[in-house]
Amino acid sequence: MNAFLAGNSLMRGLYCWLAANQGNAQECSPGWQPGMAARDGLLPAGWEWLAFAVTASVAAFLVLNLFLLLAMFYTYLERRLIGRFQVRIGPNRTGPWGLLQPVADAIKLLTKESIIPDGADRWLFNLAPIAMVVTMFMVLAVLPFGEGTFIADINVGLLFLIAVTSVNALAVFMAGVASGNRYAMFGGVRAVAQLISYEVPMVLSVVGVLLLAGSLSLVDIVNAQRVPFLLLQPLGFFIFVVGASAEMNRPPFDTLEAESEIVAGYHTEYSGMKFGYFWLAEYSAVLTTSGVIATLFLNGWQGPLLPSHVWFLLKVFGLAFVFIWVRSTLPRVRIDQTMAFAWKFLLPLGLLNIFVTAAEILVLGQPQGEGRVFSTGGLWLMAGINVTVTIGSVAVFSRLVSLRTPALPVPAAHLSRVEAR
Amino acid sequence: MTTGLGLSAAPPGERYKRLLPGAMSMRSEPVTVNVGPQHPSTHGVFRLRVTFDGEIILDVEPIFGYLHRGSEKLAEERTYTQVITLTDRLDYVASMTNNQAYVLAAEKLAGLRPPERAMYLRVIAAELQRIASHLMATGFLLNDLGAFATPLMYCFREREKILDLFEMLCGARITLSYMRVGGVFQDAPEDFWPALRKFLKEMPGYIDEYEALLVENEILVTRTRGVSVLTVDHALNASVTGPMLRASGFPWDLRVVDPYEVYDRVRFDVPVGKAGDNYDRFKIRLDEMRQSLRIVEQCVEQIEPGPVRAESPALLRPPAGDAYARIEGPKGELGFYLVSDGSIAPYRFKLRAPSFINLTVLRDLVIGWKLADMIVTLGSIDINMGEVDR
Amino acid sequence: MIRPIPGEELARRIQDACPGAVERWAGLDLWVRPERVLEVCQHLKSDSGLGFNLLNSISAVDYVEHFEVVYHLTSTSHLHSAVLKARVFGREDPTLPSVVGLWQGADYQEREIWDLMGVRFEGHPNLKRILLWEGYPGHPLRRDYLEAPR
C-alpha cells in the first residue's frame, strides 16, 4: 500500500498530513525508529484509501495543469522560434512579446463551431480527439520530473510508456476513418502504417538502455546513469529520436498530416476545440517525448548546481528546440520512403545496437549479484566503442540502403504517344 | 469501379490474396479524389481529378478555368495602352515579362522601335522579374516538398528587395504596368541605380545560401531525383518550353536563339539539366537566377543616358495586320498574337501562356508515381493560375 | 537567330509533297486549305529540310465571314520558323483536322479554341471545354457573342 511513497516527495507531504499513522510511520515520520510512537494524521486508520485518492487527484491535477501551462508556453516558443528561423518575427501582438498568443488561440478554438460532417461516424469522430489527448497525458504518470517528483514509479514504467504511446496510432486512425473524408482516410491509413512501423525500431533502441540500467523503472534508469546513456548508447539515442519524431508526426516524417499533400491529413474535418485537442496532443507530445528522451538518455533530472526540476526542464526544452529546428529545416520524406527508412535502416541498426551492447556488457562488466557492474574506465571504453560503431554503421548503411522507389510501370498505351524529333 | 486503365493484370486486392492465399479476403478498389480547387498546394484554384490505387496514381485529369476572367475578350475593347494593365494580371508574379512580351508584339504591329535606354531598362526589369518569379517557384516547390515555409520565406525576403526596386521604377509592386508601347513609363530615378547595385552585390550570396541549404539536402535529392522524368523528345513534342525544357537537357532559350531587345549585346550561359527530373527542374531555376544577375550587371554597365519613350501618338492605331512576338518568360515561351484592324483597340489579343501549355505533360509525368510526387511535379512545372485560366 | 521562312518559299517547299494544299501566301504567312492542314503539318514536321518539331502556338481569329486558325511553328534544329494559316468558312460548325497526333502540345490549345471560339478539331481525342464548363452557352471569343441575359 505504501510502496508508492518510496522516494516520492511530490505526494508524501499531503498523504502523511491526511493519513500518517503507525503503519506508514517509516515514510511519514522523519527519524522514526521501531518502537517509537508515530505522527498522527487527520484521518483514522483504515481510511488510507481516501487519503490516497485525494493525494493522487491533487497530484494529477497539479501535474496536468502545470504541464498544460508548459505546453502553452511551448506552442508560443515553437511559433516564435520558427518565426526566427524563417526570417520573420512571429507572434508579437498579444500581450508582452506575444506571450498571450496561446491564450488567444485557445479562446478562438473554444468559441468556434464544432462541425461534424454528414458522412462522419459520430461516435468515433468525437472519441478520437479524446483518445489522443488522454493517452498523451498518461505518459506523465510515470515520468520523473525531478528528484523524487513523479506520480508513480512503477517497476514496468518503460513498458507502460511504450504501451500508452502506441494507442496514439489508434486515435489517429479513428479520426481518419471516422471523418468520411478521403484526405482524412489517406492520413489515417498512412498513420497505421507509419506509427506501427516506427514502434519497432523505437522499442529496439530502448533495449540497450534496459540492458545497461537493468530495470524498467524510469527512476532506476535515471539513477543508473553515472555516465549519460547518450554517450553509451549513441546509436540507440539516434534511433529513438528519429523514431520519436515519426511517432509524433513531426517533420520530416509528418506524412500523416502532410499539408501540401493531404491538406491536414487525419484531422482535416475537425474544427473548434476538437481540432484543438489534436493540436494540443501534438504539441504536448513534443514535451513528453523530450522528457522521455531526457530521462532515458540524458541523465534525467540529474545535474550539478541547479535544482533537479530546472535541470529536467532545461533538458526538455533543449530537446524541444532541436525538434523545432528540424521541423523548420527539413523537407518531408515520402510515405514509402518513410516506411523504407524504418524497416531497412533503423531496424537493422537497432538490432546491431542490441548486439553490440550485450556483447560489451558480457566482456566489460564484472558479475555482481544478479547483474553486472562496470568500472568507470570500462564505461568510457564502452562509450568510445559505441560512438565509433554508430558513426561507422550509419555511414555504411546510408551507402547501402536506398530509399528511392521507382514508379509503377505504366503501359505505354496509357500515356500520350510521342513521336521522335 | 473501373478506371479503364488496367495498370495491373489483377485488381489490387487480388495481389495480396496471391501473396497470402486464404489468409485474408481483402477487397480494394481505386479511389477518386478531387485534389483542389481548395487545396494548399495547387498554386491557386486548380483541380486535379486523381484516381488512386492506394497512394499510387492511376489517372489524372487537370480541371481548370476557375480563374477565367476573359482577358482575351476584354482586350478587344481597350486601347493598346489600356491592354497593358490586363497583361499585368495574367501571370501576376511576373508582370514585367508579360508587359514586355505584349509591348514587343504591339511594337511589331505598329512598326515602332523603342530608344536604346528604354530597351536596356526593359531588359533589366525583365531579368529582375525572372529572378523574382524563379524565387517564388523555388520557394513554393520546397513548400510542396514539405519544408514548412522556411525556404519560401527566405525566397520572399529577396523577392521583397526586387519588389522594392520595382516600386522605385514605377510605384507599383505587383501589377506593374511599367512598359509602354514604344518605351517604358518613365526613366529610373537617381536612387534606383545605387539600390540596384547593392542588390546585385548581395544577391549571389543569397543564392549561395539557398544552394547550401537545399542542393545537397539528402531528403530533397531522394524525393526528387529520378522522379517524373521528362525526355527532350516528349518536351518538344508537347510544346514545353522554358526552364522545364532546359531541365530536360535541351539548351533552348529564346534570348539566345532569337534575341530580342538588347540580349544580343550581353553574354550569359544557358544552364541545362541532365535527366529532366524534378531535381533538375528545381536546380535549373537557381542556376538561371545567377545568369539573370549577370545580364543585369552587364546592362547596368552598358546603359547610356537618353530618351526612354519613342514618339508615338497617344492613341495608337497600328495598320491592319497581325504580329506574333515571343520572349523567354520565366515560365517558358511567352507569346502574344495581336491582330489589328486599324482601330485603337486590338481586333484579337491572344496569349500563348507557357504554364498553360506546360501543363499538357502533367498527366504523363505523374502516372505511376505517388500522391506526394504529383504535388512536387506540379510545383516543378511552376504554373500560375492567372496565366493558365486567363 | 531564328529565320522566319517567307510564305512563298514555304509554299514552294511543300508543293511537291502536298500538291494543291496551298491557298495563297503573303509576306511571312502561308494559307493552306483547311482540310489539308494535317497533311501539310505532317510534311512540315517530318521533312528533314523543314523539321518543324516545336509547335509554338495555335491561335484562332474570328473575321466574321470566316475563322482563321494560325499555327506558329519553329524548328529547333534548323532554327527557322513559319506561320501557317487556315481559313474556315461557316459559323455553324467550323471544322479543322486536329494536329494532336503530331504535336501533343496542341492538345490544350485546340481544346481552348473549341471552348472559346467554337472551332471544332476533328480527330482530337478529348475535345471538351477547358476553361468554361460543359453546357456554357456559346463561344465567348466570337465577335457575335452576346452575354446570355441574366
Side-chain angles (χ1 to χ4, degrees), chain B residues 49 61-66 68 72-73 76 234-241 245 250 252 254 256-259 321-324 326 333 337 339 341 346-352 356-357 359-364 388-390, chain C residues 1-2 29 45 53-64 68 70 72-77 79 81 83 85 100-109 111-113 116-117 126 128 130-132 140-145:
Chain B
R49 192 188 287 144
E61 189 191 356
I63 298 167
F64 37 87
Y66 294 95
H68 182 57
E72 295 183 1
K73 188 77 176 173
E76 288 173 7
H234 193 177
L236 283 173
N237 190 280
S239 302
V240 169
T241 44
L245 176 59
F250 193 73
W252 182 257
L254 289 174
V256 176
V257 296
D258 192 12
D322 62 350
Y324 177 76
R326 55 189 184 177
E333 178 186 323
Y337 179 66
V339 179
D341 59 351
Y347 183 79
R348 173 87 168 95
F349 166 91
K350 161 76 165 57
L351 162 69
R352 188 241 188 243
F356 173 72
I357 293 169
L359 262 184
T360 316
V361 291
L362 178 69
R363 181 175 175 274
D364 295 339
V388 174
D389 290 344
R390 280 154 289 166
Chain C
M1 262 326 247
I2 293 179
D29 308 337
K45 190 187 174 196
N53 54 350
L54 181 62
L55 171 72
N56 294 106
S57 92
I58 308 179
S59 323
V61 189
D62 181 5
Y63 286 107
V64 184
E68 190 169 271
V70 188
H72 290 94
L73 303 167
T74 304
S75 163
T76 57
S77 43
L79 289 186
S81 65
V83 184
K85 294 183 173 179
V100 177
L102 296 174
W103 297 287
Q104 196 198 346
D107 185 353
Y108 284 5
Q109 305 191 55
R111 278 177 70 185
E112 184 200 339
I113 291 172
L116 300 179
M117 202 62 103
N126 184 26
K128 294 194 296 187
I130 188 164
L131 293 175
L132 303 168
L141 272 186
R142 288 189 175 186
R143 296 304 286 199
D144 57 358
Y145 172 77

Side-chain angles (χ1 to χ4, degrees), chain B residues 137-150:
Chain B
T138 310
F140 278 110
L141 174 61
L142 265 294
N143 219 23
D144 292 345
L145 269 166
F148 195 65
T150 308

